[in-house]
Amino acid sequence: MRTPLWRKSSHSAEGTSGQCVEVAALSGSVRLRDSKNPDAGHLILTPHAFRTLLINLKR
């Protein structure tokens, strides 16, 4: 299994009490995790579910 390449969200600002989200694309899925606790696990979403999440968050 390949290791995901995690990227911090561009909306995660430094110095904001560490509230950061990281995303990774791997094997046709999008993964989300908390950057301040990366060993706690991550969510795995389909690309469609990730787009739907982003649309709803922007509302």
Side-chain angles (χ1 to χ4, degrees):
M1 177 185 240
R2 292 183 350 184
T3 302
L5 177 61
W6 294 99
R7 297 179 307 170
K8 189 180 290 188
S9 168
S10 62
H11 294 284
S12 296
E14 296 297 325
T16 57
S17 69
Q19 297 178 10
C20 300
V21 174
E22 293 178 324
V23 296
L26 185 66
S27 302
S29 65
V30 179
R31 295 152 191 252
L32 303 170
R33 73 178 182 183
D34 181 350
S35 65
K36 63 186 180 304
N37 194 2
D39 295 326
H42 57 271
L43 298 174
I44 301 174
L45 302 172
T46 65
H48 176 75
F50 182 66
R51 282 190 300 275
T52 300
L53 174 65
L54 291 180
I55 289 168
N56 286 303
L57 289 173
K58 290 178 182 182
R59 288 186 185 165

